Amino acid sequence: MKHIVKILTLLVAITGFWIGLLQTSVIPQSHTWLLPIYFVVSLGCYGLLMVGIGLMCFPTCPQEALLLQEDITEAKEYLKRNAVDVRSD
Amino acid sequence: MEGKNNNKYSIIVPTYNERMNIALLVYLIFKHLRDVDFEIIVVDDGSPDGTQEIVKQLQQLYGDDRILLRPRAKKLGLGTAYIHGLKHASGNFVVIMDADLSHHPKYLPSFIKKQLETGASIVTGTRYVKGGGVHGWNLMRKLTSRGANVLAQTFLWPGVSDLTGSFRLYKKSVLEDVISSCVSKGYVFQMEMIVRASRKGYHIEEVPITFVDRVFGSSKLGGSEIVEYLKGLAYLLLTT
Ligand SMILES: Nc1nc2c(ncn2[C@@H]2O[C@H](COP(=O)(O)OP(=O)(O)O)[C@@H](O)[C@H]2O)c(=O)[nH]1
Ligand SMILES: [Mg+2]
């Protein structure tokens, strides 16, 4: 099944549930009418929140940059001794 | 590593203007993969900076059975570079990594170990778990990366945490199978590979890697990345 079909199925299920709510009016109709808006807004908030959290906890590794510099020096020395042309230009 | 690893690993490295990086990379691969049977396949797309000269010097040093130069006449893009390299691979496993040292060879043993432990078809490097990380990105790049990831996780449910990373170990037959069904280019290509593999039900494992932005040379991807990415996402939603 294509992925878009899965997502559409999910949407149809949610819509079905919503229509059900509208008809049975378990909660006041005026609220039910607003539910799709809540849904979209909370989806957007979720996205923004996840991006925000991701940014704040972005894993960084400054020490790796230093280690890489050491590796580069070591590699250059070895390669130079073995006739590989590693002059930087 | 264990004495009884009878596998052979073909490491495919696409290069375009990476004369300095490829030399350093090859040294580091040999340093970190001591007791493993491997070959390095360099797919160079006619780099004007003399990358191929350096590769030939490296062949003198390490042997041309360990370092294979499989060049192409002109810059034909990354996706086809992998396919080209794959044709010449003699190992039963294939590693794909960038030449620019953003993918550090010191992680190769952990890819191999993970594969041996789990029997996975694909081991993919991830920057977004404990032990992983990125260095050298500005805020904008972090923001796009996070945004892209959240979008993909929300809509694609790919089952892996790092979609656009391209440091991966594949069973050769699996790579052949997956790559033949991929059509995208650039970043989307990496994403398409892993999403298709995941949809086909292949066993995928992750290992943490750190990613240090390139020191030498310049990046070849770029341009309208965000638009390309969104198009790629839509494409994957519709076709996988
Ligand atoms: N053979 C080949 N290699 C390429 C091409 N474009 C990029 N590469 C290589 O692919 C790797 C990743 O490219 P890079 O420019 O670092 O991309 P970035 O890390 O996503 O910015 C490097 O090893 C490049 O040399 C291409 O058209 N042909
Ligand atoms: Mg790079």
Side-chain angles (χ1 to χ4, degrees):
Chain A
M1 188 160 64
K2 298 285 182 242
H3 196 72
I4 188 77
V5 182
K6 283 188 212 160
I7 290 183
L8 288 178
T9 315
L10 197 64
L11 278 179
V12 168
I14 293 174
T15 316
F17 180 69
W18 178 62
I19 293 175
L21 277 184
L22 268 183
Q23 282 172 346
T24 54
S25 39
V26 196
I27 44 175
Q29 284 242 345
S30 54
H31 280 100
T32 320
W33 277 111
L34 288 174
L35 279 180
I37 300 176
Y38 292 155
F39 178 73
V40 171
V41 170
S42 47
L43 201 66
C45 286
Y46 163 81
L48 285 179
L49 190 74
M50 292 308 284
V51 174
I53 291 176
L55 264 186
M56 290 213 292
C57 312
F58 201 94
T60 53
C61 48
Q63 74 291 350
E64 288 297 322
L66 301 176
L67 292 175
L68 181 62
Q69 282 307 328
E70 285 170 24
D71 287 337
I72 289 174
T73 319
E74 176 189 320
K76 269 189 182 170
E77 240 160 59
Y78 176 83
L79 292 167
K80 230 179 266 168
R81 268 189 278 122
N82 288 279
V84 178
D85 178 15
V86 282
R87 284 166 302 154
S88 20
D89 32 18
Chain B
M1 214 160 302
E2 301 79 19
K4 58 179 177 71
N5 180 358
N6 300 322
N7 299 310
K8 180 170 184 183
Y9 300 87
S10 299
I11 305 173
I12 301 180
V13 186
T15 59
Y16 189 75
N17 286 346
E18 307 279 10
R19 55 173 286 145
M20 182 64 108
N21 287 323
I22 191 65
L24 303 172
L25 182 82
V26 165
Y27 170 84
L28 289 170
I29 292 176
F30 274 90
K31 178 181 169 188
H32 290 281
L33 280 188
R34 291 249 180 238
D35 307 311
V36 181
D37 187 14
F38 71 91
E39 65 187 0
I40 302 172
I41 303 173
V42 181
V43 181
D44 184 70
D45 278 1
S47 303
D49 76 338
T51 301
Q52 291 182 31
E53 297 313 310
I54 299 290
V55 175
K56 282 173 193 153
Q57 291 173 9
L58 290 163
Q59 286 179 320
Q60 293 289 320
L61 179 55
Y62 290 102
D64 56 11
D65 54 330
R66 308 302 300 281
I67 303 179
L68 284 60
L69 177 58
R70 296 292 178 266
R72 298 188 297 175
K74 63 175 200 289
K75 194 170 189 304
L76 296 168
L78 262 182
T80 54
Y82 297 134
I83 295 172
H84 182 80
L86 191 55
K87 276 188 217 142
H88 301 280
S90 67
N92 52 336
F93 284 92
V94 176
V95 173
I96 283 182
M97 65 192 297
D98 289 355
D100 60 2
L101 302 178
S102 292
H103 297 161
H104 198 296
K106 71 182 168 195
Y107 295 109
L108 287 171
S110 62
F111 280 80
I112 292 173
K113 187 156 162 274
K114 186 66 146 191
Q115 198 287 321
L116 290 174
E117 280 171 6
T118 62
S121 297
I122 302 176
V123 180
T124 176
T126 175
R127 297 162 285 193
Y128 305 130
V129 295
K130 196 164 165 294
V134 176
H135 178 79
W137 281 8
N138 60 21
L139 187 64
M140 190 57 199
R141 191 130 176 233
K142 286 180 185 171
L143 184 68
T144 12
S145 160
R146 291 319 313 186
N149 219 47
V150 168
L151 271 182
Q153 297 294 346
T154 311
F155 292 108
L156 280 179
W157 318 337
V160 292
S161 61
D162 190 348
L163 283 166
T164 49
S166 53
F167 193 177
R168 292 177 189 149
L169 170 75
Y170 296 84
K171 276 184 185 158
K172 188 185 178 190
S173 55
V174 171
L175 180 57
E176 283 166 343
D177 176 31
V178 175
I179 212 167
S180 62
S181 45
C182 289
V183 300
S184 313
K185 295 195 161 47
Y187 287 113
V188 180
F189 177 76
Q190 312 296 355
M191 187 159 81
E192 180 172 13
M193 292 266 281
I194 207 74
V195 171
R196 287 204 187 278
S198 162
R199 299 281 192 263
K200 282 176 190 248
Y202 286 121
H203 178 179
I204 305 174
E205 290 283 338
E206 297 187 310
V207 290
I209 58 161
T210 57
F211 183 101
V212 178
D213 214 23
R214 60 160 73 237
V215 183
F216 302 102
S218 58
S219 172
K220 284 99 206 168
L221 291 172
S224 52
E225 274 161 33
I226 298 179
V227 177
E228 285 307 310
Y229 173 81
L230 292 176
K231 277 199 254 170
L233 196 66
Y235 165 75
L236 287 179
L237 272 174
L238 294 172
T239 61
T240 70

